[in-house]
Amino acid sequence: METVIAIVKEIADEGFRDCWDDAQEDPKTSCIPASHYWQRPVEYHVAELVTINAIAVIIGVVGWVLLAREKPKKNTTGLLRLPASVEKSFSLFLFALFVIQVWYKLQRDTGIIDVAGISREVVWLSMPCHIYTLLASYALLRRDTMTATLCVTLSWNTFLGSAFADFSDQRHWTEPYVFIVHHMILNLLPLYFAVAFKIRSFTLGWFLWSTSLMTLWNMAIHTPLSYLSGYNVNYHIHPPIRGAPNRIFGTDVFYKPKIIIILMLLSTTSHFLFSGIGSLIIRRASSTKED
């Protein structure tokens, strides 16, 4: 175990750069100083990474087995379903928005490249709203119920992204407008999916499987990416250094498991909220059609 810890610390140190003074700390946009990087013991980083990923894999397998035994709703056309050609066109539009975001990131020549060769712009392309865009694009293109349901369950990501939008690092004058249009669409899509796709019910199998995916994305991808690049992606190295989140989690060594529980509650709320509203709309439309 000591050898593993030593290797992890060596990799992290190699990928770490102290890019600015403590007085100019901004963990959202820069590398972080060693005082914050190892704010928690390296032994805990290793134990946390291994333990949480192992648990996520186990509950994911259990969830998938339970899902395989369920009889999901058939992916039939709903009362308010758009034609396939329209959905596919909209899918391509979403993908175009993602490509535009990539272009914006590549235009930001910050000159900050860490030792691991990972630029800040590439790291931030892994943020939830970008991945959510690709998921939604795929759901529309393939008319896939499973992916559409996942978008409904994880829709809280886009709402938080919209509520706490950060325009400080935007360079091109069109970026704010593209951001607003992009996130308005993302915020409306869960309702469309709930109405038109007849999404899966929030069963124990779905809860376990979707929780596993969300956790693995953060712990198996974002966390190692943070360790290697030195960027505090989604606060996976240490909690926010300012504001209410810092007052709640700032000195808490075990802040990640608590945040995972909060995200599970957000996912559950999002699914029931949109599926409930979708069911009401479908019933209202059905009764209107019968009248």
Side-chain angles (χ1 to χ4, degrees), residues 31-76:
C31 297
I32 60 179
S35 60
H36 282 89
Y37 199 91
W38 297 119
Q39 179 176 325
R40 301 186 300 162
V42 63
E43 294 85 356
Y44 183 78
H45 281 280
V46 175
E48 177 186 73
L49 189 67
V50 174
T51 303
I52 295 180
N53 277 311
I55 294 174
V57 169
I58 292 171
I59 67 171
V61 171
V62 173
W64 185 256
V65 171
L66 293 175
L67 285 176
R69 296 176 180 177
E70 295 174 4
K71 294 181 179 180
K73 300 176 183 178
K74 293 182 179 179
N75 188 16
T76 54

Tab-separated table of all heavy atoms in Angstrom, residues 31-76:
chain	number	residue	atom	x	y	z
A	31	CYS	N	-4.378	26.217	-11.898
A	31	CYS	CA	-3.773	25.180	-11.074
A	31	CYS	C	-3.815	25.668	-9.628
A	31	CYS	O	-3.919	26.854	-9.368
A	31	CYS	CB	-2.333	24.940	-11.489
A	31	CYS	SG	-2.162	24.324	-13.171
A	32	ILE	N	-3.727	24.753	-8.700
A	32	ILE	CA	-3.857	25.129	-7.307
A	32	ILE	C	-2.544	24.898	-6.570
A	32	ILE	O	-1.767	24.022	-6.931
A	32	ILE	CB	-4.987	24.354	-6.617
A	32	ILE	CG1	-4.726	22.850	-6.679
A	32	ILE	CG2	-6.318	24.675	-7.235
A	32	ILE	CD1	-5.769	22.033	-5.997
A	33	PRO	N	-2.272	25.692	-5.521
A	33	PRO	CA	-1.009	25.554	-4.791
A	33	PRO	C	-0.990	24.274	-3.971
A	33	PRO	O	-2.027	23.700	-3.636
A	33	PRO	CB	-0.999	26.790	-3.891
A	33	PRO	CG	-2.443	27.116	-3.693
A	33	PRO	CD	-3.104	26.784	-4.996
A	34	ALA	N	0.191	23.843	-3.618
A	34	ALA	CA	0.362	22.594	-2.881
A	34	ALA	C	-0.371	22.609	-1.549
A	34	ALA	O	-0.829	21.572	-1.070
A	34	ALA	CB	1.841	22.327	-2.666
A	35	SER	N	-0.507	23.785	-0.941
A	35	SER	CA	-1.195	23.874	0.353
A	35	SER	C	-2.638	23.405	0.246
A	35	SER	O	-3.201	22.877	1.208
A	35	SER	CB	-1.155	25.315	0.865
A	35	SER	OG	-1.794	26.179	-0.060
A	36	HIS	N	-3.244	23.602	-0.918
A	36	HIS	CA	-4.607	23.125	-1.136
A	36	HIS	C	-4.617	21.740	-1.776
A	36	HIS	O	-5.510	20.939	-1.538
A	36	HIS	CB	-5.393	24.101	-2.015
A	36	HIS	CG	-5.875	25.310	-1.289
A	36	HIS	ND1	-5.122	26.445	-1.183
A	36	HIS	CD2	-7.018	25.557	-0.616
A	36	HIS	CE1	-5.780	27.352	-0.486
A	36	HIS	NE2	-6.947	26.837	-0.136
A	37	TYR	N	-3.628	21.479	-2.619
A	37	TYR	CA	-3.586	20.204	-3.341
A	37	TYR	C	-3.539	19.039	-2.367
A	37	TYR	O	-4.224	18.031	-2.539
A	37	TYR	CB	-2.346	20.176	-4.240
A	37	TYR	CG	-2.418	19.157	-5.343
A	37	TYR	CD1	-2.938	19.496	-6.578
A	37	TYR	CD2	-1.976	17.854	-5.136
A	37	TYR	CE1	-3.008	18.574	-7.593
A	37	TYR	CE2	-2.028	16.923	-6.148
A	37	TYR	CZ	-2.551	17.283	-7.385
A	37	TYR	OH	-2.621	16.352	-8.376
A	38	TRP	N	-2.722	19.166	-1.344
A	38	TRP	CA	-2.613	18.104	-0.336
A	38	TRP	C	-3.252	18.547	0.968
A	38	TRP	O	-2.773	18.240	2.049
A	38	TRP	CB	-1.154	17.694	-0.124
A	38	TRP	CG	-0.526	17.116	-1.348
A	38	TRP	CD1	0.553	17.594	-2.031
A	38	TRP	CD2	-0.952	15.949	-2.054
A	38	TRP	NE1	0.825	16.812	-3.113
A	38	TRP	CE2	-0.085	15.781	-3.161
A	38	TRP	CE3	-1.993	15.028	-1.888
A	38	TRP	CZ2	-0.207	14.744	-4.075
A	38	TRP	CZ3	-2.126	13.995	-2.797
A	38	TRP	CH2	-1.240	13.856	-3.876
A	39	GLN	N	-4.347	19.292	0.872
A	39	GLN	CA	-5.085	19.710	2.063
A	39	GLN	C	-5.575	18.484	2.837
A	39	GLN	O	-5.643	18.488	4.062
A	39	GLN	CB	-6.282	20.575	1.662
A	39	GLN	CG	-7.149	21.044	2.830
A	39	GLN	CD	-8.244	21.971	2.361
A	39	GLN	OE1	-8.041	22.761	1.434
A	39	GLN	NE2	-9.409	21.898	2.988
A	40	ARG	N	-5.902	17.431	2.083
A	40	ARG	CA	-6.263	16.152	2.691
A	40	ARG	C	-5.078	15.206	2.517
A	40	ARG	O	-4.350	15.295	1.533
A	40	ARG	CB	-7.515	15.571	2.032
A	40	ARG	CG	-8.717	16.502	2.137
A	40	ARG	CD	-9.971	15.838	1.613
A	40	ARG	NE	-9.852	15.464	0.220
A	40	ARG	CZ	-10.643	14.574	-0.384
A	40	ARG	NH1	-11.571	13.958	0.300
A	40	ARG	NH2	-10.493	14.301	-1.661
A	41	PRO	N	-4.857	14.273	3.446
A	41	PRO	CA	-3.719	13.357	3.341
A	41	PRO	C	-3.768	12.559	2.039
A	41	PRO	O	-4.838	12.161	1.582
A	41	PRO	CB	-3.901	12.430	4.555
A	41	PRO	CG	-4.747	13.202	5.500
A	41	PRO	CD	-5.649	14.051	4.655
A	42	VAL	N	-2.611	12.347	1.430
A	42	VAL	CA	-2.556	11.595	0.189
A	42	VAL	C	-3.097	10.187	0.380
A	42	VAL	O	-3.693	9.599	-0.524
A	42	VAL	CB	-1.118	11.565	-0.365
A	42	VAL	CG1	-0.192	10.843	0.589
A	42	VAL	CG2	-1.080	10.896	-1.734
A	43	GLU	N	-2.910	9.638	1.593
A	43	GLU	CA	-3.443	8.295	1.874
A	43	GLU	C	-4.960	8.275	1.722
A	43	GLU	O	-5.538	7.299	1.238
A	43	GLU	CB	-3.060	7.855	3.296
A	43	GLU	CG	-1.576	7.652	3.509
A	43	GLU	CD	-0.863	8.933	3.861
A	43	GLU	OE1	-1.528	10.011	3.864
A	43	GLU	OE2	0.358	8.883	4.125
A	44	TYR	N	-5.582	9.376	2.133
A	44	TYR	CA	-7.043	9.424	2.022
A	44	TYR	C	-7.470	9.538	0.563
A	44	TYR	O	-8.470	8.939	0.153
A	44	TYR	CB	-7.612	10.591	2.827
A	44	TYR	CG	-9.121	10.617	2.783
A	44	TYR	CD1	-9.860	9.753	3.582
A	44	TYR	CD2	-9.809	11.452	1.902
A	44	TYR	CE1	-11.245	9.734	3.518
A	44	TYR	CE2	-11.184	11.436	1.837
A	44	TYR	CZ	-11.901	10.578	2.646
A	44	TYR	OH	-13.265	10.553	2.574
A	45	HIS	N	-6.716	10.305	-0.227
A	45	HIS	CA	-7.027	10.415	-1.665
A	45	HIS	C	-7.043	9.037	-2.318
A	45	HIS	O	-7.946	8.701	-3.084
A	45	HIS	CB	-5.994	11.304	-2.365
A	45	HIS	CG	-6.204	12.769	-2.168
A	45	HIS	ND1	-7.117	13.494	-2.886
A	45	HIS	CD2	-5.605	13.639	-1.318
A	45	HIS	CE1	-7.077	14.757	-2.505
A	45	HIS	NE2	-6.171	14.875	-1.562
A	46	VAL	N	-6.025	8.251	-2.018
A	46	VAL	CA	-5.910	6.916	-2.612
A	46	VAL	C	-7.039	6.005	-2.132
A	46	VAL	O	-7.710	5.346	-2.937
A	46	VAL	CB	-4.545	6.284	-2.272
A	46	VAL	CG1	-4.487	4.853	-2.792
A	46	VAL	CG2	-3.411	7.110	-2.859
A	47	ALA	N	-7.268	5.979	-0.824
A	47	ALA	CA	-8.311	5.116	-0.265
A	47	ALA	C	-9.682	5.505	-0.794
A	47	ALA	O	-10.505	4.647	-1.140
A	47	ALA	CB	-8.289	5.194	1.262
A	48	GLU	N	-9.925	6.802	-0.887
A	48	GLU	CA	-11.208	7.301	-1.384
A	48	GLU	C	-11.420	6.917	-2.843
A	48	GLU	O	-12.506	6.443	-3.229
A	48	GLU	CB	-11.239	8.824	-1.239
A	48	GLU	CG	-12.484	9.490	-1.782
A	48	GLU	CD	-12.357	10.995	-1.730
A	48	GLU	OE1	-11.590	11.564	-2.536
A	48	GLU	OE2	-13.014	11.608	-0.862
A	49	LEU	N	-10.383	7.101	-3.650
A	49	LEU	CA	-10.488	6.800	-5.073
A	49	LEU	C	-10.817	5.320	-5.290
A	49	LEU	O	-11.714	4.980	-6.073
A	49	LEU	CB	-9.176	7.167	-5.772
A	49	LEU	CG	-9.167	7.130	-7.294
A	49	LEU	CD1	-10.067	8.213	-7.867
A	49	LEU	CD2	-7.748	7.300	-7.824
A	50	VAL	N	-10.097	4.443	-4.604
A	50	VAL	CA	-10.297	3.003	-4.777
A	50	VAL	C	-11.643	2.556	-4.222
A	50	VAL	O	-12.408	1.842	-4.886
A	50	VAL	CB	-9.152	2.218	-4.092
A	50	VAL	CG1	-9.439	0.717	-4.135
A	50	VAL	CG2	-7.822	2.523	-4.768
A	51	THR	N	-11.971	3.001	-3.007
A	51	THR	CA	-13.185	2.533	-2.337
A	51	THR	C	-14.454	2.978	-3.048
A	51	THR	O	-15.348	2.166	-3.334
A	51	THR	CB	-13.214	3.043	-0.878
A	51	THR	OG1	-12.040	2.611	-0.198
A	51	THR	CG2	-14.450	2.517	-0.156
A	52	ILE	N	-14.547	4.269	-3.369
A	52	ILE	CA	-15.769	4.779	-3.981
A	52	ILE	C	-15.968	4.196	-5.382
A	52	ILE	O	-17.088	3.842	-5.773
A	52	ILE	CB	-15.757	6.324	-4.031
A	52	ILE	CG1	-15.786	6.885	-2.606
A	52	ILE	CG2	-16.951	6.849	-4.828
A	52	ILE	CD1	-15.784	8.399	-2.540
A	53	ASN	N	-14.883	4.067	-6.157
A	53	ASN	CA	-15.013	3.469	-7.485
A	53	ASN	C	-15.445	2.008	-7.407
A	53	ASN	O	-16.259	1.541	-8.208
A	53	ASN	CB	-13.692	3.584	-8.249
A	53	ASN	CG	-13.517	4.931	-8.917
A	53	ASN	OD1	-14.405	5.415	-9.607
A	53	ASN	ND2	-12.381	5.561	-8.710
A	54	ALA	N	-14.908	1.277	-6.429
A	54	ALA	CA	-15.289	-0.130	-6.263
A	54	ALA	C	-16.766	-0.253	-5.909
A	54	ALA	O	-17.492	-1.090	-6.473
A	54	ALA	CB	-14.430	-0.781	-5.181
A	55	ILE	N	-17.229	0.596	-4.991
A	55	ILE	CA	-18.645	0.568	-4.608
A	55	ILE	C	-19.525	0.936	-5.804
A	55	ILE	O	-20.578	0.320	-6.031
A	55	ILE	CB	-18.903	1.534	-3.434
A	55	ILE	CG1	-18.173	1.037	-2.185
A	55	ILE	CG2	-20.395	1.685	-3.163
A	55	ILE	CD1	-18.243	2.001	-1.006
A	56	ALA	N	-19.094	1.930	-6.585
A	56	ALA	CA	-19.875	2.361	-7.741
A	56	ALA	C	-20.004	1.241	-8.773
A	56	ALA	O	-21.069	1.045	-9.367
A	56	ALA	CB	-19.229	3.597	-8.380
A	57	VAL	N	-18.923	0.499	-8.998
A	57	VAL	CA	-18.966	-0.622	-9.946
A	57	VAL	C	-19.930	-1.700	-9.455
A	57	VAL	O	-20.748	-2.230	-10.222
A	57	VAL	CB	-17.556	-1.219	-10.148
A	57	VAL	CG1	-17.641	-2.530	-10.919
A	57	VAL	CG2	-16.668	-0.230	-10.895
A	58	ILE	N	-19.876	-1.994	-8.176
A	58	ILE	CA	-20.736	-3.038	-7.616
A	58	ILE	C	-22.210	-2.660	-7.730
A	58	ILE	O	-23.035	-3.460	-8.209
A	58	ILE	CB	-20.368	-3.305	-6.137
A	58	ILE	CG1	-18.972	-3.945	-6.052
A	58	ILE	CG2	-21.405	-4.211	-5.472
A	58	ILE	CD1	-18.448	-4.048	-4.628
A	59	ILE	N	-22.564	-1.445	-7.316
A	59	ILE	CA	-23.980	-1.055	-7.385
A	59	ILE	C	-24.421	-0.896	-8.836
A	59	ILE	O	-25.599	-1.096	-9.162
A	59	ILE	CB	-24.260	0.232	-6.583
A	59	ILE	CG1	-23.581	1.450	-7.217
A	59	ILE	CG2	-23.849	0.076	-5.142
A	59	ILE	CD1	-23.999	2.761	-6.583
A	60	GLY	N	-23.478	-0.557	-9.734
A	60	GLY	CA	-23.820	-0.466	-11.145
A	60	GLY	C	-24.178	-1.821	-11.724
A	60	GLY	O	-25.146	-1.959	-12.486
A	61	VAL	N	-23.410	-2.841	-11.362
A	61	VAL	CA	-23.684	-4.199	-11.831
A	61	VAL	C	-25.025	-4.688	-11.283
A	61	VAL	O	-25.851	-5.257	-12.009
A	61	VAL	CB	-22.553	-5.158	-11.414
A	61	VAL	CG1	-22.938	-6.607	-11.711
A	61	VAL	CG2	-21.258	-4.798	-12.135
A	62	VAL	N	-25.251	-4.445	-9.981
A	62	VAL	CA	-26.527	-4.850	-9.370
A	62	VAL	C	-27.689	-4.124	-10.047
A	62	VAL	O	-28.723	-4.728	-10.368
A	62	VAL	CB	-26.518	-4.556	-7.856
A	62	VAL	CG1	-27.901	-4.827	-7.253
A	62	VAL	CG2	-25.465	-5.387	-7.154
A	63	GLY	N	-27.525	-2.822	-10.274
A	63	GLY	CA	-28.572	-2.048	-10.928
A	63	GLY	C	-28.874	-2.547	-12.332
A	63	GLY	O	-30.035	-2.637	-12.739
A	64	TRP	N	-27.818	-2.889	-13.086
A	64	TRP	CA	-28.007	-3.379	-14.451
A	64	TRP	C	-28.742	-4.716	-14.462
A	64	TRP	O	-29.605	-4.963	-15.316
A	64	TRP	CB	-26.668	-3.508	-15.148
A	64	TRP	CG	-26.793	-3.884	-16.599
A	64	TRP	CD1	-26.572	-5.095	-17.167
A	64	TRP	CD2	-27.214	-3.017	-17.656
A	64	TRP	NE1	-26.803	-5.049	-18.516
A	64	TRP	CE2	-27.201	-3.783	-18.852
A	64	TRP	CE3	-27.578	-1.676	-17.722
A	64	TRP	CZ2	-27.562	-3.247	-20.077
A	64	TRP	CZ3	-27.935	-1.136	-18.956
A	64	TRP	CH2	-27.915	-1.922	-20.104
A	65	VAL	N	-28.424	-5.578	-13.506
A	65	VAL	CA	-29.107	-6.868	-13.399
A	65	VAL	C	-30.587	-6.660	-13.105
A	65	VAL	O	-31.461	-7.310	-13.707
A	65	VAL	CB	-28.459	-7.745	-12.303
A	65	VAL	CG1	-29.306	-8.988	-12.028
A	65	VAL	CG2	-27.051	-8.151	-12.713
A	66	LEU	N	-30.883	-5.735	-12.188
A	66	LEU	CA	-32.281	-5.439	-11.855
A	66	LEU	C	-33.016	-4.834	-13.049
A	66	LEU	O	-34.185	-5.165	-13.312
A	66	LEU	CB	-32.352	-4.490	-10.658
A	66	LEU	CG	-31.874	-5.062	-9.312
A	66	LEU	CD1	-31.894	-3.982	-8.239
A	66	LEU	CD2	-32.750	-6.235	-8.897
A	67	LEU	N	-32.332	-3.963	-13.796
A	67	LEU	CA	-32.953	-3.360	-14.978
A	67	LEU	C	-33.274	-4.414	-16.033
A	67	LEU	O	-34.301	-4.335	-16.712
A	67	LEU	CB	-32.033	-2.297	-15.578
A	67	LEU	CG	-31.931	-0.957	-14.847
A	67	LEU	CD1	-30.907	-0.057	-15.529
A	67	LEU	CD2	-33.291	-0.262	-14.806
A	68	ALA	N	-32.392	-5.392	-16.163
A	68	ALA	CA	-32.601	-6.441	-17.163
A	68	ALA	C	-33.833	-7.274	-16.845
A	68	ALA	O	-34.447	-7.865	-17.751
A	68	ALA	CB	-31.370	-7.346	-17.241
A	69	ARG	N	-34.215	-7.320	-15.585
A	69	ARG	CA	-35.381	-8.107	-15.182
A	69	ARG	C	-36.683	-7.319	-15.276
A	69	ARG	O	-37.769	-7.883	-15.149
A	69	ARG	CB	-35.198	-8.609	-13.741
A	69	ARG	CG	-34.022	-9.575	-13.569
A	69	ARG	CD	-33.858	-9.951	-12.108
A	69	ARG	NE	-32.744	-10.884	-11.931
A	69	ARG	CZ	-32.339	-11.337	-10.745
A	69	ARG	NH1	-32.959	-10.936	-9.646
A	69	ARG	NH2	-31.318	-12.173	-10.663
A	70	GLU	N	-36.561	-6.010	-15.444
A	70	GLU	CA	-37.760	-5.174	-15.516
A	70	GLU	C	-38.370	-5.207	-16.914
A	70	GLU	O	-37.719	-5.583	-17.885
A	70	GLU	CB	-37.411	-3.725	-15.143
A	70	GLU	CG	-36.954	-3.552	-13.715
A	70	GLU	CD	-36.486	-2.134	-13.440
A	70	GLU	OE1	-36.595	-1.295	-14.355
A	70	GLU	OE2	-36.014	-1.882	-12.322
A	71	LYS	N	-39.609	-4.781	-16.992
A	71	LYS	CA	-40.288	-4.633	-18.271
A	71	LYS	C	-40.511	-3.144	-18.510
A	71	LYS	O	-41.504	-2.575	-18.062
A	71	LYS	CB	-41.624	-5.374	-18.266
A	71	LYS	CG	-41.477	-6.890	-18.160
A	71	LYS	CD	-42.839	-7.567	-18.194
A	71	LYS	CE	-42.676	-9.088	-18.115
A	71	LYS	NZ	-43.995	-9.783	-18.134
A	72	PRO	N	-39.552	-2.497	-19.183
A	72	PRO	CA	-39.651	-1.045	-19.383
A	72	PRO	C	-40.787	-0.680	-20.331
A	72	PRO	O	-41.268	-1.510	-21.097
A	72	PRO	CB	-38.292	-0.678	-19.995
A	72	PRO	CG	-37.854	-1.935	-20.681
A	72	PRO	CD	-38.371	-3.070	-19.838
A	73	LYS	N	-41.186	0.578	-20.270
A	73	LYS	CA	-42.204	1.061	-21.196
A	73	LYS	C	-41.679	0.987	-22.617
A	73	LYS	O	-40.512	1.243	-22.875
A	73	LYS	CB	-42.552	2.528	-20.865
A	73	LYS	CG	-43.094	2.736	-19.462
A	73	LYS	CD	-43.301	4.226	-19.205
A	73	LYS	CE	-43.763	4.481	-17.788
A	73	LYS	NZ	-43.908	5.928	-17.520
A	74	LYS	N	-42.539	0.640	-23.527
A	74	LYS	CA	-42.121	0.577	-24.917
A	74	LYS	C	-41.837	1.979	-25.445
A	74	LYS	O	-42.505	2.947	-25.086
A	74	LYS	CB	-43.209	-0.084	-25.764
A	74	LYS	CG	-43.423	-1.564	-25.440
A	74	LYS	CD	-44.485	-2.151	-26.349
A	74	LYS	CE	-44.685	-3.637	-26.043
A	74	LYS	NZ	-45.729	-4.238	-26.907
A	75	ASN	N	-40.863	2.078	-26.297
A	75	ASN	CA	-40.478	3.375	-26.862
A	75	ASN	C	-41.389	3.725	-28.035
A	75	ASN	O	-40.982	3.784	-29.186
A	75	ASN	CB	-39.022	3.333	-27.309
A	75	ASN	CG	-38.534	4.705	-27.718
A	75	ASN	OD1	-39.153	5.700	-27.393
A	75	ASN	ND2	-37.424	4.744	-28.417
A	76	THR	N	-42.655	3.927	-27.716
A	76	THR	CA	-43.632	4.268	-28.753
A	76	THR	C	-43.760	5.779	-28.845
A	76	THR	O	-43.426	6.513	-27.914
A	76	THR	CB	-45.000	3.661	-28.425
A	76	THR	OG1	-45.378	4.070	-27.099
A	76	THR	CG2	-44.934	2.138	-28.469
